Amino acid sequence: MGRKCTAGCGVCGLVLGLLGALSLTLFHLVVKFELGKLMPLKVGTFAYPYWKKAPIPVYMQFYVFDVINSDEVIETGAKPSVLERGPYTYRLEKEKVGIKYNDNNTVTYRQITWYYFERNMSVGYDNETFTNFNIPYLSVAYLVRFEYPWVQELINYALAITGENLFKVVSVHDILYGYEDPLLKFVSQDIMGLFNMSHFLDPNFGLMYKWNGSDDGVYNVYTGSDDIFRAGFIDKWNYFKTLSFWSGKYANMINGSDGEFFGPFVDSSKDMLFYSSQACRSLLVKYQYTHSIKGIDVYRYLLPADTFACPAEKPDNVGFCSPDSNHCMASGVLNVSVCRNGSSGTLSFPHFLGADPDVIHGVDGLHPNSEQHSSFIDIEPTTGLPFQMVFRFQVGIHITNNSIIKGLHNIRSLHMPIVWFNESAYIDDDLANKFKARLELPMNIVHVMQIILIIMGSLILIGSAIRWFRKYKTVENDTEEKPLFTPVSLKND
């Protein structure tokens, strides 16, 4: 009976241990099954209401660069000197509209964004003014830089009529959301109007003109209904699978997600990709380290400092040279004129972080700092949900010397920052608690059960082995002490 009990315990321990070990493999399947019910982008799932309308506040902080020596720049070609002013903070509300589900497990939508000024989070009101280069002035000069001299003289005539200068005093609100520019109005109505072409040029200008209450294009993304690993990954943007802005095939690829989902079971050894309409391209982020947000472990992914590196430093970036590889900008600066109506606009990290030293030193008052000016995403690895997003970019303009256009005679070629912004979102307590209740707690229970099964199975198996060993030793000792036969005593009758 004892031997049968020991054997039974051993088998039981072995089975429990095997179940525990097997459950390690089954764990991902169970979690995948649960995520397949909770996370697809369709009505009725846990993720849908949060995907349809951002549940947490998103803020965008703007910092403007105020040029304090504009007269010296015009008269002697002095290096511009700037003071950073900000933040001027706006609260963003985002909601997806026009949602349409397709037969190939994708969903099409537009995302509308509204901006609301937050005075208590700002250094002042957004009607405060600052001085910087006149962007419409420079954009018009940029557009005609290769035209005949008489065309450029026509622009000089327009500048004289409108009284526009190389520098402009403008409010924070107007530089962002738009104002009617005298030069653009004159060129549109009085020059292009003569040829019935006024509809080609909007007389209003703003870095985010028409963005408030609008969208950044039509998205078509996978719902994850058939494959949860593809939830949120882009199939098409503006009805195309590739971009047409850039000169290279790689640069025009639309890779990765829409930035709101990154797929479950994130592998920290692999880089992540997402598409950014602000940058007019897909962006790559690299794993840095693991830390905790509200008691939940997340992976920190950083946008590398060489994101906008020149082809000599990063050959894959050759396709971002515009119009071709013979017209590459300095390292750290992306020419976005191809997706910004032909203006001389540029995109970089704030204060030209990671850029060529000549770019940084071309303007006095810049102090790039990786802690303050880098961009990153914190991703919960099991679900692929971003718990914190911080995107920091700088909008600038490329200025070149021009011997014909008024005001540009003494100007040295340089990259000039206009404004940089910090768009950030951070998971709140309510959403973190819901995540723990619906996702983290069940997964932790399953994980604990795995460990308990393995430990119990191991202990029972070890206990059975010890009992069997002791039993075996006892039998062996009894055998050694017992004589081979019992002597019979002889009695003398």
Side-chain angles (χ1 to χ4, degrees):
M1 188 72 179
R3 291 183 179 180
K4 290 182 179 181
C5 181
T6 302
C9 289
V11 171
C12 179
L14 183 61
V15 170
L16 288 175
L18 288 174
L19 284 175
L22 184 60
S23 66
L24 290 172
T25 303
L26 294 177
F27 174 68
H28 277 206
L29 296 177
V30 172
V31 174
K32 180 184 176 182
F33 177 75
E34 288 299 315
L35 292 178
K37 295 188 299 182
L38 296 172
M39 302 308 293
L41 310 179
K42 61 181 183 180
V43 178
T45 65
F46 172 77
Y48 180 79
Y50 305 112
W51 171 78
K52 185 177 184 297
K53 186 174 183 179
I56 57 178
V58 180
Y59 294 100
M60 186 171 279
Q61 299 173 303
F62 292 94
Y63 298 81
V64 298
F65 292 96
D66 194 8
V67 179
I68 59 177
N69 64 335
S70 56
D71 291 340
E72 290 85 348
V73 173
I74 294 175
E75 294 169 4
T76 66
K79 182 190 299 186
S81 183
V82 298
L83 289 177
E84 179 185 285
R85 292 171 51 188
Y88 297 91
T89 304
Y90 292 81
R91 175 175 50 86
L92 278 59
E93 291 188 3
K94 300 183 178 185
E95 183 173 6
K96 294 175 176 63
V97 300
I99 299 172
K100 177 186 176 183
Y101 288 90
N102 309 303
D103 294 335
N104 62 342
N105 292 302
T106 63
V107 57
T108 302
Y109 65 89
R110 292 177 180 270
Q111 181 163 264
I112 307 298
T113 303
W114 293 269
Y115 296 78
Y116 301 95
F117 182 66
E118 295 284 346
R119 173 62 185 89
N120 63 327
M121 300 175 68
S122 307
V123 295
Y125 289 99
D126 62 354
N127 61 359
E128 294 179 349
T129 61
F130 70 104
T131 300
N132 206 306
F133 281 91
N134 190 334
I135 300 178
Y137 178 113
L138 291 169
S139 295
V140 171
Y142 180 81
L143 288 172
V144 302
R145 66 194 186 284
F146 298 129
E147 297 293 340
Y148 294 108
W150 68 266
V151 175
Q152 298 189 41
E153 288 296 350
L154 191 60
I155 297 303
N156 277 332
Y157 170 73
L159 292 172
I161 292 295
T162 59
E164 287 297 283
N165 200 338
L166 182 60
F167 285 90
K168 194 174 190 70
V169 178
V170 64
S171 72
V172 175
H173 180 276
D174 286 352
I175 195 66
L176 296 176
Y177 300 110
Y179 60 93
E180 186 177 77
D181 183 77
L183 176 60
L184 294 179
K185 182 179 179 181
F186 180 82
V187 172
S188 173
Q189 296 181 0
D190 295 278
I191 296 180
M192 299 181 74
L194 296 175
F195 305 96
N196 295 318
M197 296 174 63
S198 60
H199 58 283
F200 284 114
L201 184 65
D202 194 319
N204 296 285
F205 170 78
L207 296 176
M208 294 168 38
Y209 178 54
K210 293 184 177 180
W211 283 21
N212 202 352
S214 185
D215 62 87
D216 62 342
V218 180
Y219 285 84
N220 182 252
V221 305
Y222 291 98
T223 63
S225 297
D226 61 331
D227 183 359
I228 193 62
F229 288 90
R230 294 203 296 175
F233 280 64
I234 296 177
D235 179 39
K236 297 177 183 177
W237 181 73
N238 278 343
Y239 306 106
F240 290 97
K241 286 184 175 290
T242 60
L243 304 173
S244 58
F245 303 136
W246 310 107
S247 60
K249 182 179 179 180
Y250 172 81
N252 278 317
M253 288 182 177
I254 301 177
N255 290 320
S257 77
D258 59 0
E260 296 183 0
F261 287 83
F262 289 90
F265 306 122
V266 175
D267 185 349
S268 61
S269 67
K270 296 180 179 179
D271 299 332
M272 308 285 281
L273 287 161
F274 67 96
Y275 176 71
S276 168
S277 61
Q278 295 170 338
C280 307
R281 55 169 289 188
S282 293
L283 296 171
L284 176 148
V285 288
K286 292 179 175 291
Y287 172 80
Q288 298 298 301
Y289 55 83
T290 300
H291 69 113
S292 177
I293 293 179
K294 299 187 181 298
I296 303 170
D297 287 342
V298 295
Y299 291 170
R300 168 67 55 89
Y301 278 83
L302 184 71
L303 207 59
D306 66 351
T307 297
F308 304 121
C310 65
E313 299 176 10
K314 194 174 183 179
D316 285 342
N317 281 353
V318 67
F320 295 111
C321 297
S322 180
D324 51 46
S325 59
N326 295 319
H327 296 82
C328 297
M329 285 200 165
S331 193
V333 182
L334 178 68
N335 180 2
V336 292
S337 62
V338 291
C339 61
R340 293 289 184 267
N341 300 319
S343 70
S344 55
T346 64
L347 192 74
S348 67
F349 290 126
H351 288 242
F352 295 119
L353 175 69
D356 188 297
D358 289 340
V359 173
I360 300 172
H361 299 145
V363 179
D364 284 335
L366 300 182
H367 308 285
N369 182 299
S370 59
E371 291 294 322
Q372 299 175 5
H373 303 140
S374 60
S375 298
F376 61 86
I377 309 175
D378 288 331
I379 302 174
E380 197 284 316
T382 303
T383 61
L385 292 174
F387 274 28
Q388 181 177 205
M389 297 183 292
V390 175
F391 296 127
R392 298 166 175 145
F393 293 110
Q394 177 176 278
V395 178
I397 192 165
H398 184 214
I399 302 172
T400 57
N401 180 274
N402 190 309
S403 60
I404 298 179
I405 299 295
K406 171 192 171 185
L408 293 175
H409 305 149
N410 297 323
I411 299 299
R412 66 179 74 187
S413 294
L414 72 137
H415 292 278
M416 185 68 199
I418 304 296
V419 58
W420 73 269
F421 63 87
N422 174 14
E423 182 178 356
S424 59
Y426 188 82
I427 189 172
D428 59 13
D429 291 335
D430 180 61
L431 196 55
N433 290 334
K434 287 179 179 178
F435 174 86
K436 291 176 181 179
R438 293 296 301 272
L439 292 169
E440 188 182 51
L441 181 59
M443 289 187 292
N444 285 342
I445 291 174
V446 173
H447 187 60
V448 169
M449 289 302 297
Q450 294 173 348
I451 297 173
I452 291 174
L453 285 172
I454 292 174
I455 292 175
M456 285 181 62
S458 299
L459 290 176
I460 293 173
L461 194 60
I462 293 170
S464 298
I466 293 173
R467 183 174 178 178
W468 178 86
F469 180 75
R470 287 178 175 175
K471 188 87 173 175
Y472 173 78
K473 291 297 290 182
T474 301
V475 171
E476 187 179 64
N477 291 336
D478 289 345
T479 303
E480 289 177 355
E481 294 173 2
K482 187 175 182 180
L484 294 177
F485 60 90
T486 303
V488 179
S489 60
L490 298 176
K491 296 182 180 179
N492 294 325
D493 294 333

